[in-house]
Amino acid sequence: MTHTDDRPVRLVAPDEPPFDPDYDRPREHRQPPQDMGAEQAVLGALILEPNLAADLATHLDGPDFYRPAHETIWNAIHHVATATTGDIKVDAVTLASHLARTGELERIGGAPYLHTLMEACQLPENAPAYAKIIRDNARLRTAIDTGSRLVQLGQKGTVDEVDTYLAEALQVLDDTVTRWGPRDTVSTSGFRDLSWILTGQAPEIPPPRWLQHEAGHALFYAGKVNGVFGDPETAKTWLAQCAIVEALNDGGTAAMIDVDHNGENHTAARLLLLGAHPNALADPTRFRYYDPQEGAELRHAIADITTHKSDVVLIDSLGEIFPMLGLNTNDGDEITGGLRLISQPADTGSCVIFIDHLPKATEARATGFAIGSIAKKRAIRGSYIRAEEAVKPAPGQIGKINLFIEKDTAGELRRATPGGKYLGKFILDSTQPHVTSWKVARDTAVTTDGRFRPTRLMERISRHVEDNDQCTGRDIREAVGGKPENVVKALKVLIEEGFVSVHKGARNALLHHSISLYREAEDDNAQPDD
């Protein structure tokens, strides 16, 4: 079947990517900071000298490119570099072949544009300098975007909601500085050294360290406060306890503060079931379990864990800790003080994981906050993961829990995760006696029983919903174009497969929200000629 596109076609010169309406603005509009020459040169350098890829990847990432076509080429180069074996190397031919298979070749300007990139690079050894130019422009664009977001927050708020919007604005600034700013510098005055700005070499942000995903990255950050939240019986504690087992079996240390009072015997049995070595659990220098009954005991437990500097610290759960400390869960200042207390192990390098619960109110659940004050979410400096039941875990069965990234201040978890918020499934296999195996993995694409699968339309719809939250079906049909019946089918598949959610709004209008990013190139069952 031949694909037709009614959008106007602009003839382009061979030395530039195809027209992109979101980035090719009219001349009277000022473009954000960018350097197309540097972007072309660094990509040309990678095609000419593929061995530069690993080094440049430590300084540059796909989203740092201004042109979407250049980000696509960057990602393709690294994919080919890691996927090929033997004597096969990255060059214009192998790269064009990969882009053709993924349906991206024409979108980036065709095979001739790859040769244009090579011609744009006179000295491949200057690639680190080109990368610095690209990253510096990305930092400037981030500053502009951050300012725009702050303006939007100020304009959309009302006097009655000023505290909420100021808190959101603070979070925007905090996320930006954490992503691009320096490491903390210990000082009695709280002074932080910003001299790195003059060099342009921002301190490296370590990726998540604990609880490995099958894709090769981890979920939780060391030296930061992380969180898992969701409804009851969504295996939140199981997930965090797997991080404990991983740390212990890796020769490390762990601790658990059990304010839910499950008991030491129940906890030990659970950890053994998940594969912890008995010798590690029985050794108080390796694993420490605390069951505080009142605030003073909790404070002593925190101090003891901070002294021992455990690799992984599980606190289960916040809902019980605040009353134990005598704090009002509706008072942001009190919650902030309590969180500072129980977050102290993170200051000594521990991976702290909080367990919390979702509110019952529908409107509150949609915010992505767990029960209580916004201060809770602000305290998370690592990953904040939402757990949703897919198949309820039970003895003798295989349970599956969908995991979503609700917050990732450093951005390193999202960097390693294709598809936006969706992390994958936490799978607990209890079909064998005396052992529960577990893993965190992304789903492979699933066909829909031989039905027509309009993958190109699915990507267009996904991108529209990402940019236009709470849009209606009519909005989608008008924006995406194509046959209405095909658009309806594509939207239905996205909803069935968990990429888009739908709920009723005012006057029973069906509103759509992006849960996970759908991309045709990542679909093993893509049908590009829809």
Side-chain angles (χ1 to χ4, degrees):
M1 177 165 42
T2 302
H3 174 70
T4 60
D5 195 335
D6 296 330
R7 294 176 295 178
V9 176
R10 189 191 78 165
L11 296 178
V12 298
D15 62 345
E16 64 175 299
F19 176 76
D20 189 321
D22 291 328
Y23 291 84
D24 292 302
R25 307 293 187 187
R27 292 186 181 275
E28 61 269 23
H29 292 284
R30 179 177 296 178
Q31 288 187 327
Q34 58 166 307
D35 192 315
M36 182 173 173
E39 293 191 5
Q40 289 182 322
V42 80
L43 294 173
L46 286 174
I47 299 174
L48 293 168
E49 297 289 345
N51 58 312
L52 295 171
D55 182 60
L56 290 181
T58 63
H59 304 288
L60 202 61
D61 194 35
D64 293 339
F65 288 88
Y66 178 72
R67 291 275 184 169
H70 291 164
E71 179 181 355
T72 298
I73 296 169
W74 167 272
N75 292 335
I77 289 172
H78 287 273
H79 176 84
V80 174
T82 56
T84 55
T85 58
D87 296 329
I88 300 176
K89 304 293 184 181
V90 176
D91 60 17
V93 176
T94 57
L95 188 57
S97 175
H98 170 76
L99 289 167
R101 289 196 303 272
T102 59
E104 298 283 355
L105 184 59
E106 294 306 315
R107 300 179 191 176
I108 61 95
Y113 187 61
L114 299 179
H115 292 277
T116 298
L117 296 177
M118 296 164 64
E119 293 171 0
C121 180
Q122 300 299 317
L123 294 171
E125 57 265 33
N126 282 348
Y130 306 146
K132 181 180 182 303
I133 294 172
I134 296 168
R135 184 171 175 82
D136 286 346
N137 278 286
R139 292 166 62 197
L140 290 173
R141 291 197 301 273
T142 300
I144 294 172
D145 292 343
T146 300
S148 299
R149 291 181 64 190
L150 294 176
V151 170
Q152 292 170 359
L153 285 171
Q155 290 177 339
K156 78 177 184 178
T158 64
V159 174
D160 294 338
E161 298 171 307
V162 64
D163 287 341
T164 297
Y165 287 107
L166 283 175
E168 290 186 30
L170 178 62
Q171 189 63 60
V172 169
L173 287 171
D174 187 41
D175 291 350
T176 301
V177 172
T178 301
R179 178 67 183 89
W180 297 97
R183 293 191 180 118
D184 289 342
T185 301
V186 177
S187 172
T188 55
S189 67
F191 172 77
R192 300 294 185 266
D193 184 5
L194 299 179
S195 60
W196 65 269
I197 295 174
L198 298 177
T199 66
Q201 296 296 322
E204 181 181 350
I205 301 174
R209 171 66 179 86
W210 296 108
L211 192 59
Q212 292 298 309
H213 192 292
E214 275 200 344
H217 61 83
L219 271 62
F220 300 118
Y221 291 84
K224 295 183 182 293
V225 177
N226 307 266
V228 182
F229 71 102
D231 287 319
E233 299 185 10
T234 52
K236 302 181 294 296
T237 302
W238 285 82
L239 182 70
Q241 286 175 329
C242 286
I244 287 180
V245 172
E246 183 179 274
L248 294 176
N249 291 352
D250 195 41
T253 57
M256 178 175 176
I257 297 180
D258 184 9
V259 192
D260 277 356
H261 309 302
N262 293 300
E264 64 272 26
N265 295 332
H266 172 87
T267 299
R270 169 85 63 85
L271 294 173
L272 290 170
L273 194 66
L274 291 171
H277 295 163
N279 289 342
L281 289 180
D283 184 351
T285 66
R286 298 281 309 285
F287 177 69
R288 303 180 74 81
Y289 173 84
Y290 302 84
D291 186 7
Q293 303 298 315
E294 45 89 21
E297 289 186 356
L298 175 58
R299 290 182 172 87
H300 284 300
I302 293 293
D304 192 46
I305 290 174
T306 304
T307 300
H308 282 84
K309 300 181 180 180
S310 300
D311 291 316
V312 175
V313 177
L314 168 57
I315 300 179
D316 187 11
S317 65
L318 288 186
E320 301 299 327
I321 278 180
F322 294 126
M324 182 175 288
L325 293 172
L327 302 177
N328 178 1
T329 56
N330 295 316
D331 188 316
D333 291 337
E334 291 192 16
I335 294 299
T336 298
L339 288 169
R340 286 174 179 166
L341 169 67
I342 58 181
S343 301
Q344 289 176 2
D347 297 334
T348 61
S350 298
C351 167
V352 177
I353 307 173
F354 291 155
I355 304 298
D356 208 358
H357 306 287
L358 269 174
K360 295 181 179 180
T362 302
E363 183 177 351
R365 292 169 69 88
T367 65
F369 291 84
I371 293 174
S373 167
I374 188 176
K376 286 184 183 179
K377 191 171 182 181
R378 285 170 51 193
I380 303 293
R381 291 293 183 266
S383 56
Y384 195 39
I385 296 174
R386 180 170 181 161
E388 294 183 358
E389 175 190 315
V391 179
K392 186 182 293 294
Q397 300 184 28
I398 299 177
K400 297 181 179 180
I401 304 296
N402 289 322
L403 302 178
F404 300 90
I405 305 172
E406 195 62 42
K407 179 181 176 183
D408 177 26
T409 302
E412 297 301 312
L413 180 57
R414 293 187 193 276
R415 181 198 295 267
T417 306
K421 285 189 172 184
Y422 180 59
L423 261 176
K425 281 186 169 60
F426 174 44
I427 301 172
L428 283 167
D429 185 347
S430 300
T431 55
Q432 301 299 318
H434 312 303
V435 63
T436 293
S437 60
W438 52 272
K439 65 179 179 179
V440 179
R442 282 186 65 88
D443 306 88
T444 54
V446 180
T447 58
T448 50
D449 300 327
R451 291 180 293 168
F452 174 56
R453 186 174 176 81
T455 52
R456 187 162 295 169
L457 274 175
M458 289 165 62
E459 178 168 335
R460 292 182 192 168
I461 294 172
S462 178
R463 290 183 181 274
H464 180 76
V465 177
E466 293 160 24
D467 296 335
N468 301 272
D469 192 30
Q470 309 302 317
C471 56
T472 65
R474 179 177 179 180
D475 295 334
I476 295 172
R477 290 192 297 273
E478 292 178 350
V480 171
K483 295 182 180 180
E485 60 269 26
N486 289 346
V487 176
V488 171
K489 291 177 181 177
L491 179 58
K492 183 178 180 181
V493 175
L494 288 173
I495 294 172
E496 289 176 348
E497 297 186 3
F499 292 96
V500 173
S501 65
V502 60
H503 65 276
K504 288 186 177 180
R507 299 180 181 178
N508 290 323
L510 295 180
L511 305 179
H512 299 81
H513 172 70
S514 175
I515 298 176
S516 178
L517 311 187
Y518 174 83
R519 296 295 182 263
E520 184 182 39
E522 299 170 1
D523 191 336
D524 293 340
N525 297 288
Q527 299 175 9
D529 293 327
D530 57 1

